[in-house]
Amino acid sequence: MASLAPTLSSTISRLTHLHKPSLHSAITTLKNFRFKQKLSKRIRPFINSSPSSLSAHFSSAQMRSTVGSDDDLVVLGIETSCDDTAAAVVRSNGEILSQVVSSQADLLVQYGGVAPKMAEEAHSKVIDQVVQEALDKANLSESDLSAVAVTIGPGLSLCLRVGVQKARKLAGTYALPIVGVHHMEAHALVARLVQGELQFPFLVLLISGGHNLLILARDLGNYVQLGTTIDDAIGEAYDKTAKWLGLDLRKSGGPAVEDLAREGLKTQVRLAVESGSINPEIPVSSASSEDRKERANIAASFQRVAVLHLEEKCERAIEWASKIEPSIKHLVVSGGVASNQYVRARLNQIVEKNCLQLVCPPPKLCTDNGVMVAWTGIEHFRMGRFDPPPPTNEPEDAVLDLRPRWPLGEEYTEGRSEARSIRRARIHPSLTSLIQASMQQQS
Ligand code: KG4
Ligand code: ZN
């Protein structure tokens, strides 16, 4: 555990540098205005594109250098792909100006999981307020922004739509460019905000409620998928375990299992679920001490097995990744489950054994958040990958570019699994293949 301290403390100390802009913001506003004027001339060629399209347009090398050289950007990020409504304002130097998350914990408890229609309604109810709060906390107004970034996939399309509509409305009204963001890429790239010196290529383990992914990040927009979810994602397994053990789901299942597992670590593990002695209808808070001990044992053994599985996958991915990119030095672990201390400690051992370094964003940036979306927006915007401001009069029922099933990269052939080939229907081309195709068109 002690060996984790340097990584964690360095991420935390960077976060404590966050400040609200005062005089500086006035200067930046002026700079942004000039930048926007320059940009608006540049983006004109894209304005004829389909009004509802959010697919990234890729600019010429000339434009790329112009955007890259004026690097004082302030981007609003919006995230609604699952059950959290989140927004944040981030500056291109890595300062987080604000971060707001409204979670649907009560709905989760009520329905025992995410119900898409309910989640959509909950997002719609709070989205305006969440975005406004993010701007207020950053001490900025919409016109101070350089661009709006929004998650367009993967996720629940009903939920994605709420964020995308909000982003397009705002971008249309204030003539802001818009960047469509891949949710899993955002989980990975937030590590580069946290640890400024993290360079490509690096290995990434993404562990969340919907996906387990092992990715080799070769460059921005160039990812090789070394492994992916076959059955349940680990976060989902945590959530189910929490439900079966009658745990308090308000914080989401993962942390509840982690807490209880701590109590079970020292005792002999017995799988009492099979004996039928645990009744999830009885909340753990009112269970007898014997019953509680039994549940703690199960939580601990579940956690041990689940994480052992991750450890094995990581070892293999490190081997593969080092073959493809021998210069990798880091393993990034992100996504909701990466906030688990046991997971971090176990993976740190694997990483040290292989002479790599572990990079884990702080828990607030591991679970779904707007900062990762804003940051990923900044990374792509710098490369000239964005769409022009949408029209101000876009109809409410415009067909939007939403990508509920959207792989991050192509599969590494050695890692391909038979089980997954059946699940290929209705998948959007991967982010990496789209970016590579557009780069070929330009050259
Ligand atoms: O990345 P995330 O916020 O949302 C998705 O994109 O899915 O991940 C949410 C998942 C949930 O399954 C939650 O139970 C899990 O992350 N989680 C944890 C912990 N904190 C959140 N799992 C294990 N231990 C934790 N401390
Ligand atoms: Zn997520």
Side-chain angles (χ1 to χ4, degrees):
M1 210 55 167
S3 51
L4 264 180
T7 322
L8 292 176
S9 62
S10 75
T11 61
I12 290 161
S13 66
R14 261 184 76 91
L15 284 175
T16 52
H17 290 153
L18 315 180
H19 68 273
K20 288 189 180 169
S22 48
L23 177 66
H24 187 59
S25 85
I27 300 165
T28 315
T29 308
L30 189 66
K31 270 203 204 156
N32 272 341
F33 179 66
R34 286 207 208 101
F35 177 63
K36 259 190 247 158
Q37 278 185 324
K38 187 161 53 174
L39 197 60
S40 65
K41 282 190 208 123
R42 299 267 176 190
I43 58 182
R44 213 158 276 152
F46 299 140
I47 291 210
N48 291 333
S49 66
S50 151
S52 55
S53 156
L54 242 182
S55 59
H57 289 284
F58 309 124
S59 65
S60 65
Q62 185 193 9
M63 166 131 173
R64 203 168 296 154
S65 63
T66 310
V67 173
S69 62
D70 198 338
D71 205 14
D72 194 1
L73 308 168
V74 183
V75 172
L76 167 71
I78 299 177
E79 158 62 42
T80 62
S81 66
C82 191
D83 57 339
D84 289 319
T85 317
V89 181
V90 177
R91 208 184 273 286
S92 48
N93 66 1
E95 281 176 54
I96 300 168
L97 302 182
S98 64
Q99 183 178 4
V100 180
V101 181
S102 164
S103 79
Q104 302 177 5
D106 293 345
L107 284 180
L108 277 181
V109 176
Q110 206 176 330
Y111 295 97
V114 182
K117 194 75 195 132
M118 301 295 165
E120 177 202 20
E121 275 173 27
H123 283 303
S124 303
K125 226 190 260 173
V126 298
I127 186 77
D128 289 342
Q129 195 189 327
V130 166
V131 168
Q132 192 56 52
E133 210 177 310
L135 289 166
D136 291 348
K137 281 189 171 163
N139 252 330
L140 296 175
S141 73
E142 290 87 343
S143 49
D144 299 321
L145 298 171
S146 316
V148 181
V150 60
T151 305
I152 60 170
L156 300 167
S157 57
L158 283 176
C159 298
L160 290 165
R161 171 176 299 279
V162 177
V164 171
Q165 269 175 341
K166 175 69 187 176
R168 292 184 71 80
K169 203 159 177 197
L170 201 146
T173 311
Y174 295 91
L176 296 167
I178 187 161
V179 190
V181 167
H182 191 295
H183 181 84
M184 301 313 284
E185 185 188 31
H187 271 306
L189 293 188
V190 76
R192 277 164 54 86
L193 175 157
V194 165
Q195 191 143 324
E197 64 275 21
L198 178 63
Q199 300 291 331
F200 294 104
F202 52 87
L203 184 59
V204 194
L205 170 67
L206 298 175
I207 33 181
S208 69
H211 303 266
N212 287 356
L213 277 180
L214 264 161
I215 297 282
L216 173 61
R218 307 189 78 173
D219 202 348
L220 181 64
N222 184 353
Y223 308 100
V224 179
Q225 195 172 290
L226 300 173
T228 187
T229 326
I230 292 177
D231 194 358
D232 281 356
I234 183 167
E236 203 176 336
Y238 264 99
D239 294 340
K240 282 181 184 163
T241 304
K243 210 159 106 184
W244 291 331
L245 293 179
L247 307 190
D248 180 354
L249 299 176
R250 270 170 304 180
K251 270 198 303 178
S252 85
V257 173
E258 185 181 11
D259 286 350
L260 188 64
R262 257 186 221 119
E263 297 175 23
L265 271 176
K266 293 184 203 81
T267 30
Q268 184 81 36
V269 174
R270 279 170 295 137
L271 280 173
V273 163
E274 278 166 11
S275 72
S277 61
I278 285 168
N279 180 1
E281 302 283 307
I282 302 171
V284 71
S285 50
S286 20
S288 68
S289 73
E290 219 17 61
D291 185 354
R292 186 181 176 96
K293 218 187 274 171
E294 213 155 13
R295 294 186 203 208
N297 285 342
I298 294 168
S301 58
F302 158 76
Q303 187 158 255
R304 213 178 270 161
V305 173
V307 178
L308 193 63
H309 181 74
L310 281 185
E311 290 169 43
E312 284 166 10
K313 299 272 176 211
C314 275
E315 291 249 41
R316 202 163 52 174
I318 291 171
E319 213 176 282
W320 287 342
S322 319
K323 264 199 257 166
I324 311 172
E325 294 276 7
S327 65
I328 58 156
K329 292 188 186 64
H330 297 93
L331 170 69
V332 169
V333 183
S334 185
V337 185
S339 44
N340 184 299
Q341 295 303 320
Y342 179 69
V343 170
R344 288 178 181 224
R346 297 295 302 199
L347 292 178
N348 197 49
Q349 284 183 6
I350 303 281
V351 157
E352 284 187 342
K353 201 170 89 191
N354 287 280
C355 302
L356 299 177
Q357 213 192 317
L358 186 71
V359 182
C360 260
K364 264 195 169 167
L365 297 182
C366 280
T367 47
D368 288 353
N369 64 84
V371 173
M372 66 183 197
V373 179
W375 177 256
T376 303
I378 288 170
E379 293 239 30
H380 282 289
F381 188 81
R382 277 176 177 155
M383 301 299 285
R385 293 173 191 152
F386 53 83
D387 279 341
T392 42
N393 56 352
E394 189 164 74
E396 288 270 313
D397 60 352
V399 179
L400 300 177
D401 179 15
L402 307 173
R403 305 173 182 184
R405 299 188 66 192
W406 186 19
L408 193 48
E410 301 308 311
E411 273 179 279
Y412 179 56
T413 30
E414 269 189 54
R416 187 165 290 160
S417 121
E418 287 298 316
R420 242 171 314 117
S421 48
I422 346 165
R423 293 221 216 151
R424 291 222 141 259
R426 286 191 299 125
I427 293 187
H428 205 280
S430 78
L431 175 78
T432 304
S433 67
L434 291 175
I435 289 182
Q436 278 172 354
S438 84
M439 278 168 32
Q440 269 162 15
Q441 261 175 16
Q442 282 166 33
S443 59

Short mmCIF file of all heavy atoms in Angstrom, two decimals, residues 217-262:
data_model
loop_
_atom_site.label_atom_id
_atom_site.label_comp_id
_atom_site.label_asym_id
_atom_site.label_seq_id
_atom_site.Cartn_x
_atom_site.Cartn_y
_atom_site.Cartn_z
N ALA A 217 -2.72 2.40 -25.76
CA ALA A 217 -2.90 3.74 -26.34
C ALA A 217 -1.59 4.11 -27.04
O ALA A 217 -0.61 4.42 -26.38
CB ALA A 217 -3.24 4.73 -25.23
N ARG A 218 -1.58 4.03 -28.37
CA ARG A 218 -0.33 4.26 -29.11
C ARG A 218 -0.13 5.74 -29.35
O ARG A 218 0.99 6.24 -29.39
CB ARG A 218 -0.37 3.52 -30.45
CG ARG A 218 -0.70 2.05 -30.29
CD ARG A 218 -0.53 1.29 -31.56
NE ARG A 218 0.87 1.01 -31.80
CZ ARG A 218 1.33 0.23 -32.77
NH1 ARG A 218 0.47 -0.32 -33.62
NH2 ARG A 218 2.61 0.02 -32.93
N ASP A 219 -1.25 6.43 -29.55
CA ASP A 219 -1.21 7.87 -29.80
C ASP A 219 -2.62 8.39 -29.58
O ASP A 219 -3.55 7.59 -29.41
CB ASP A 219 -0.78 8.10 -31.27
CG ASP A 219 -0.19 9.49 -31.46
OD1 ASP A 219 -0.33 10.33 -30.54
OD2 ASP A 219 0.39 9.73 -32.52
N LEU A 220 -2.81 9.71 -29.64
CA LEU A 220 -4.16 10.25 -29.48
C LEU A 220 -5.04 9.75 -30.63
O LEU A 220 -4.72 9.98 -31.80
CB LEU A 220 -4.09 11.79 -29.49
CG LEU A 220 -5.43 12.49 -29.31
CD1 LEU A 220 -6.02 12.21 -27.94
CD2 LEU A 220 -5.30 13.99 -29.53
N GLY A 221 -6.10 9.04 -30.31
CA GLY A 221 -6.99 8.52 -31.34
C GLY A 221 -6.50 7.23 -31.97
O GLY A 221 -7.10 6.76 -32.93
N ASN A 222 -5.44 6.63 -31.44
CA ASN A 222 -4.94 5.38 -32.01
C ASN A 222 -4.80 4.34 -30.90
O ASN A 222 -3.85 4.36 -30.12
CB ASN A 222 -3.60 5.64 -32.71
CG ASN A 222 -3.07 4.39 -33.40
OD1 ASN A 222 -3.63 3.29 -33.28
ND2 ASN A 222 -1.99 4.54 -34.14
N TYR A 223 -5.79 3.46 -30.84
CA TYR A 223 -5.86 2.50 -29.75
C TYR A 223 -5.96 1.06 -30.27
O TYR A 223 -6.67 0.81 -31.24
CB TYR A 223 -7.08 2.80 -28.86
CG TYR A 223 -7.09 4.24 -28.41
CD1 TYR A 223 -7.90 5.18 -29.05
CD2 TYR A 223 -6.24 4.69 -27.40
CE1 TYR A 223 -7.88 6.52 -28.67
CE2 TYR A 223 -6.20 6.01 -27.03
CZ TYR A 223 -7.03 6.92 -27.67
OH TYR A 223 -6.99 8.24 -27.31
N VAL A 224 -5.26 0.16 -29.60
CA VAL A 224 -5.39 -1.26 -29.93
C VAL A 224 -6.07 -1.92 -28.73
O VAL A 224 -5.66 -1.73 -27.58
CB VAL A 224 -4.00 -1.92 -30.13
CG1 VAL A 224 -4.16 -3.40 -30.45
CG2 VAL A 224 -3.22 -1.21 -31.23
N GLN A 225 -7.12 -2.66 -29.02
CA GLN A 225 -7.86 -3.32 -27.95
C GLN A 225 -7.24 -4.67 -27.66
O GLN A 225 -7.32 -5.58 -28.49
CB GLN A 225 -9.29 -3.46 -28.43
CG GLN A 225 -10.26 -3.78 -27.34
CD GLN A 225 -11.68 -3.70 -27.88
OE1 GLN A 225 -12.19 -2.63 -28.19
NE2 GLN A 225 -12.29 -4.85 -28.02
N LEU A 226 -6.63 -4.81 -26.49
CA LEU A 226 -5.96 -6.07 -26.16
C LEU A 226 -6.90 -7.06 -25.49
O LEU A 226 -6.68 -8.26 -25.50
CB LEU A 226 -4.76 -5.80 -25.24
CG LEU A 226 -3.67 -4.88 -25.79
CD1 LEU A 226 -2.65 -4.57 -24.72
CD2 LEU A 226 -2.98 -5.52 -26.99
N GLY A 227 -7.94 -6.54 -24.87
CA GLY A 227 -8.89 -7.42 -24.20
C GLY A 227 -10.15 -6.65 -23.88
O GLY A 227 -10.11 -5.43 -23.71
N THR A 228 -11.28 -7.37 -23.84
CA THR A 228 -12.53 -6.67 -23.52
C THR A 228 -13.47 -7.56 -22.72
O THR A 228 -13.18 -8.73 -22.46
CB THR A 228 -13.20 -6.17 -24.83
OG1 THR A 228 -14.32 -5.37 -24.47
CG2 THR A 228 -13.69 -7.32 -25.69
N THR A 229 -14.59 -7.00 -22.31
CA THR A 229 -15.57 -7.69 -21.51
C THR A 229 -16.18 -8.86 -22.28
O THR A 229 -16.61 -8.67 -23.40
CB THR A 229 -16.75 -6.73 -21.18
OG1 THR A 229 -16.23 -5.44 -21.06
CG2 THR A 229 -17.49 -7.17 -19.98
N ILE A 230 -16.21 -10.03 -21.67
CA ILE A 230 -16.90 -11.13 -22.34
C ILE A 230 -18.23 -11.35 -21.62
O ILE A 230 -19.28 -11.37 -22.23
CB ILE A 230 -16.05 -12.40 -22.34
CG1 ILE A 230 -14.84 -12.17 -23.24
CG2 ILE A 230 -16.88 -13.58 -22.84
CD1 ILE A 230 -13.88 -13.29 -23.29
N ASP A 231 -18.16 -11.44 -20.32
CA ASP A 231 -19.39 -11.64 -19.56
C ASP A 231 -19.77 -10.30 -18.91
O ASP A 231 -19.90 -9.32 -19.59
CB ASP A 231 -19.13 -12.75 -18.53
CG ASP A 231 -20.41 -13.29 -17.93
OD1 ASP A 231 -21.46 -12.78 -18.28
OD2 ASP A 231 -20.32 -14.19 -17.09
N ASP A 232 -19.88 -10.26 -17.60
CA ASP A 232 -20.18 -9.00 -16.93
C ASP A 232 -18.93 -8.15 -16.80
O ASP A 232 -17.84 -8.68 -16.59
CB ASP A 232 -20.65 -9.28 -15.49
CG ASP A 232 -22.10 -9.71 -15.46
OD1 ASP A 232 -22.72 -9.72 -16.53
OD2 ASP A 232 -22.57 -10.04 -14.37
N ALA A 233 -19.09 -6.83 -16.89
CA ALA A 233 -17.98 -5.95 -16.53
C ALA A 233 -17.79 -6.06 -15.02
O ALA A 233 -18.74 -6.38 -14.30
CB ALA A 233 -18.32 -4.53 -16.92
N ILE A 234 -16.59 -5.79 -14.56
CA ILE A 234 -16.32 -6.01 -13.13
C ILE A 234 -17.21 -5.12 -12.25
O ILE A 234 -17.68 -5.54 -11.20
CB ILE A 234 -14.81 -5.86 -12.81
CG1 ILE A 234 -14.57 -6.16 -11.33
CG2 ILE A 234 -14.26 -4.53 -13.22
CD1 ILE A 234 -13.12 -6.35 -10.96
N GLY A 235 -17.50 -3.91 -12.70
CA GLY A 235 -18.35 -3.00 -11.91
C GLY A 235 -19.74 -3.59 -11.73
O GLY A 235 -20.35 -3.51 -10.66
N GLU A 236 -20.24 -4.22 -12.80
CA GLU A 236 -21.56 -4.83 -12.75
C GLU A 236 -21.55 -6.01 -11.76
O GLU A 236 -22.51 -6.21 -11.01
CB GLU A 236 -21.89 -5.33 -14.16
CG GLU A 236 -23.34 -5.49 -14.45
CD GLU A 236 -23.56 -5.90 -15.92
OE1 GLU A 236 -22.67 -5.61 -16.76
OE2 GLU A 236 -24.60 -6.51 -16.18
N ALA A 237 -20.45 -6.76 -11.77
CA ALA A 237 -20.32 -7.89 -10.84
C ALA A 237 -20.32 -7.38 -9.39
O ALA A 237 -20.96 -7.97 -8.50
CB ALA A 237 -19.04 -8.67 -11.13
N TYR A 238 -19.63 -6.27 -9.16
CA TYR A 238 -19.64 -5.65 -7.83
C TYR A 238 -21.07 -5.26 -7.44
O TYR A 238 -21.52 -5.49 -6.32
CB TYR A 238 -18.75 -4.40 -7.81
CG TYR A 238 -17.35 -4.64 -7.31
CD1 TYR A 238 -16.29 -4.81 -8.19
CD2 TYR A 238 -17.07 -4.68 -5.95
CE1 TYR A 238 -14.99 -5.02 -7.73
CE2 TYR A 238 -15.78 -4.88 -5.47
CZ TYR A 238 -14.75 -5.06 -6.36
OH TYR A 238 -13.48 -5.26 -5.90
N ASP A 239 -21.78 -4.64 -8.40
CA ASP A 239 -23.13 -4.16 -8.11
C ASP A 239 -24.08 -5.32 -7.77
O ASP A 239 -24.87 -5.23 -6.84
CB ASP A 239 -23.68 -3.34 -9.29
CG ASP A 239 -22.89 -2.06 -9.50
OD1 ASP A 239 -22.21 -1.62 -8.54
OD2 ASP A 239 -22.93 -1.50 -10.61
N LYS A 240 -23.95 -6.42 -8.54
CA LYS A 240 -24.82 -7.58 -8.27
C LYS A 240 -24.50 -8.18 -6.92
O LYS A 240 -25.38 -8.55 -6.15
CB LYS A 240 -24.63 -8.64 -9.36
CG LYS A 240 -25.36 -8.28 -10.64
CD LYS A 240 -25.15 -9.40 -11.66
CE LYS A 240 -25.77 -9.03 -13.00
NZ LYS A 240 -25.24 -9.88 -14.08
N THR A 241 -23.20 -8.30 -6.63
CA THR A 241 -22.79 -8.87 -5.35
C THR A 241 -23.37 -8.05 -4.20
O THR A 241 -23.90 -8.59 -3.22
CB THR A 241 -21.25 -8.92 -5.26
OG1 THR A 241 -20.77 -9.66 -6.38
CG2 THR A 241 -20.77 -9.56 -3.98
N ALA A 242 -23.31 -6.72 -4.37
CA ALA A 242 -23.84 -5.84 -3.32
C ALA A 242 -25.33 -6.08 -3.12
O ALA A 242 -25.83 -6.10 -1.99
CB ALA A 242 -23.58 -4.38 -3.71
N LYS A 243 -26.04 -6.27 -4.23
CA LYS A 243 -27.48 -6.49 -4.14
C LYS A 243 -27.79 -7.80 -3.42
O LYS A 243 -28.62 -7.85 -2.53
CB LYS A 243 -28.03 -6.54 -5.58
CG LYS A 243 -29.44 -6.04 -5.70
CD LYS A 243 -29.74 -5.63 -7.12
CE LYS A 243 -30.63 -6.64 -7.81
NZ LYS A 243 -30.85 -6.30 -9.23
N TRP A 244 -27.06 -8.86 -3.79
CA TRP A 244 -27.29 -10.17 -3.18
C TRP A 244 -26.93 -10.19 -1.69
O TRP A 244 -27.44 -10.99 -0.93
CB TRP A 244 -26.48 -11.25 -3.90
CG TRP A 244 -26.97 -11.51 -5.30
CD1 TRP A 244 -28.25 -11.36 -5.76
CD2 TRP A 244 -26.20 -11.96 -6.41
NE1 TRP A 244 -28.32 -11.68 -7.08
CE2 TRP A 244 -27.09 -12.06 -7.52
CE3 TRP A 244 -24.86 -12.29 -6.60
CZ2 TRP A 244 -26.67 -12.46 -8.78
CZ3 TRP A 244 -24.44 -12.70 -7.85
CH2 TRP A 244 -25.34 -12.78 -8.94
N LEU A 245 -26.05 -9.31 -1.31
CA LEU A 245 -25.63 -9.30 0.09
C LEU A 245 -26.44 -8.29 0.92
O LEU A 245 -26.14 -8.07 2.09
CB LEU A 245 -24.13 -8.98 0.19
CG LEU A 245 -23.18 -10.05 -0.37
CD1 LEU A 245 -21.74 -9.61 -0.23
CD2 LEU A 245 -23.39 -11.38 0.34
N GLY A 246 -27.42 -7.67 0.28
CA GLY A 246 -28.28 -6.72 1.02
C GLY A 246 -27.54 -5.46 1.45
O GLY A 246 -27.81 -4.92 2.52
N LEU A 247 -26.59 -5.01 0.64
CA LEU A 247 -25.82 -3.83 1.05
C LEU A 247 -26.52 -2.53 0.64
O LEU A 247 -27.43 -2.53 -0.19
CB LEU A 247 -24.41 -3.88 0.42
CG LEU A 247 -23.61 -5.17 0.66
CD1 LEU A 247 -22.17 -4.97 0.21
CD2 LEU A 247 -23.64 -5.58 2.12
N ASP A 248 -26.06 -1.46 1.21
CA ASP A 248 -26.64 -0.14 0.94
C ASP A 248 -26.14 0.32 -0.43
O ASP A 248 -24.94 0.53 -0.63
CB ASP A 248 -26.16 0.81 2.05
CG ASP A 248 -26.70 2.21 1.85
OD1 ASP A 248 -27.35 2.46 0.82
OD2 ASP A 248 -26.48 3.05 2.75
N LEU A 249 -27.06 0.47 -1.39
CA LEU A 249 -26.65 0.75 -2.78
C LEU A 249 -26.58 2.24 -3.09
O LEU A 249 -26.33 2.61 -4.24
CB LEU A 249 -27.64 0.08 -3.75
CG LEU A 249 -27.73 -1.45 -3.65
CD1 LEU A 249 -28.80 -1.98 -4.57
CD2 LEU A 249 -26.39 -2.10 -3.98
N ARG A 250 -26.80 3.08 -2.11
CA ARG A 250 -26.90 4.51 -2.44
C ARG A 250 -25.62 5.09 -3.02
O ARG A 250 -25.66 5.99 -3.83
CB ARG A 250 -27.35 5.31 -1.22
CG ARG A 250 -28.87 5.42 -1.18
CD ARG A 250 -29.34 6.00 0.10
NE ARG A 250 -28.84 5.21 1.23
CZ ARG A 250 -29.10 5.50 2.48
NH1 ARG A 250 -29.84 6.53 2.78
NH2 ARG A 250 -28.64 4.74 3.46
N LYS A 251 -24.47 4.56 -2.59
CA LYS A 251 -23.20 5.08 -3.13
C LYS A 251 -22.77 4.30 -4.38
O LYS A 251 -21.66 4.46 -4.84
CB LYS A 251 -22.09 4.93 -2.07
CG LYS A 251 -21.96 6.14 -1.16
CD LYS A 251 -20.62 6.14 -0.44
CE LYS A 251 -20.39 4.86 0.35
NZ LYS A 251 -19.11 4.77 1.03
N SER A 252 -23.57 3.41 -4.90
CA SER A 252 -23.30 2.38 -5.90
C SER A 252 -22.67 1.17 -5.19
O SER A 252 -22.08 1.31 -4.11
CB SER A 252 -22.45 2.86 -7.08
OG SER A 252 -21.09 2.81 -6.80
N GLY A 253 -22.84 0.00 -5.81
CA GLY A 253 -22.50 -1.25 -5.13
C GLY A 253 -21.03 -1.43 -4.81
O GLY A 253 -20.67 -2.00 -3.77
N GLY A 254 -20.16 -0.94 -5.71
CA GLY A 254 -18.73 -1.17 -5.55
C GLY A 254 -18.16 -0.77 -4.20
O GLY A 254 -17.58 -1.60 -3.48
N PRO A 255 -18.32 0.49 -3.83
CA PRO A 255 -17.76 0.91 -2.54
C PRO A 255 -18.34 0.14 -1.37
O PRO A 255 -17.63 -0.14 -0.39
CB PRO A 255 -18.16 2.39 -2.45
CG PRO A 255 -18.47 2.82 -3.83
CD PRO A 255 -18.92 1.59 -4.58
N ALA A 256 -19.62 -0.26 -1.44
CA ALA A 256 -20.24 -1.00 -0.34
C ALA A 256 -19.58 -2.36 -0.18
O ALA A 256 -19.28 -2.80 0.93
CB ALA A 256 -21.74 -1.16 -0.61
N VAL A 257 -19.29 -3.03 -1.30
CA VAL A 257 -18.62 -4.34 -1.23
C VAL A 257 -17.20 -4.14 -0.70
O VAL A 257 -16.73 -4.89 0.16
CB VAL A 257 -18.57 -5.03 -2.62
CG1 VAL A 257 -17.73 -6.30 -2.56
CG2 VAL A 257 -19.99 -5.37 -3.09
N GLU A 258 -16.54 -3.11 -1.22
CA GLU A 258 -15.16 -2.87 -0.78
C GLU A 258 -15.10 -2.68 0.74
O GLU A 258 -14.27 -3.28 1.42
CB GLU A 258 -14.57 -1.63 -1.48
CG GLU A 258 -13.11 -1.43 -1.12
CD GLU A 258 -12.47 -0.19 -1.77
OE1 GLU A 258 -13.20 0.64 -2.34
OE2 GLU A 258 -11.24 -0.08 -1.66
N ASP A 259 -16.00 -1.85 1.27
CA ASP A 259 -16.02 -1.59 2.72
C ASP A 259 -16.25 -2.87 3.51
O ASP A 259 -15.53 -3.18 4.46
CB ASP A 259 -17.12 -0.59 3.07
CG ASP A 259 -16.74 0.81 2.65
OD1 ASP A 259 -15.54 1.00 2.28
OD2 ASP A 259 -17.61 1.70 2.67
N LEU A 260 -17.27 -3.63 3.08
CA LEU A 260 -17.62 -4.83 3.83
C LEU A 260 -16.52 -5.89 3.72
O LEU A 260 -16.24 -6.61 4.67
CB LEU A 260 -18.97 -5.38 3.35
CG LEU A 260 -19.53 -6.52 4.18
CD1 LEU A 260 -19.85 -6.06 5.60
CD2 LEU A 260 -20.80 -7.10 3.55
N ALA A 261 -15.90 -5.94 2.53
CA ALA A 261 -14.85 -6.96 2.31
C ALA A 261 -13.71 -6.76 3.30
O ALA A 261 -13.08 -7.73 3.72
CB ALA A 261 -14.33 -6.87 0.88
N ARG A 262 -13.47 -5.52 3.68
CA ARG A 262 -12.39 -5.25 4.64
C ARG A 262 -12.62 -6.01 5.94
O ARG A 262 -11.70 -6.51 6.56
CB ARG A 262 -12.33 -3.75 4.93
CG ARG A 262 -11.20 -3.14 4.18
CD ARG A 262 -10.98 -1.70 4.52
NE ARG A 262 -10.71 -1.02 3.28
CZ ARG A 262 -11.41 -0.06 2.76
NH1 ARG A 262 -12.46 0.40 3.39
NH2 ARG A 262 -11.08 0.46 1.62
#
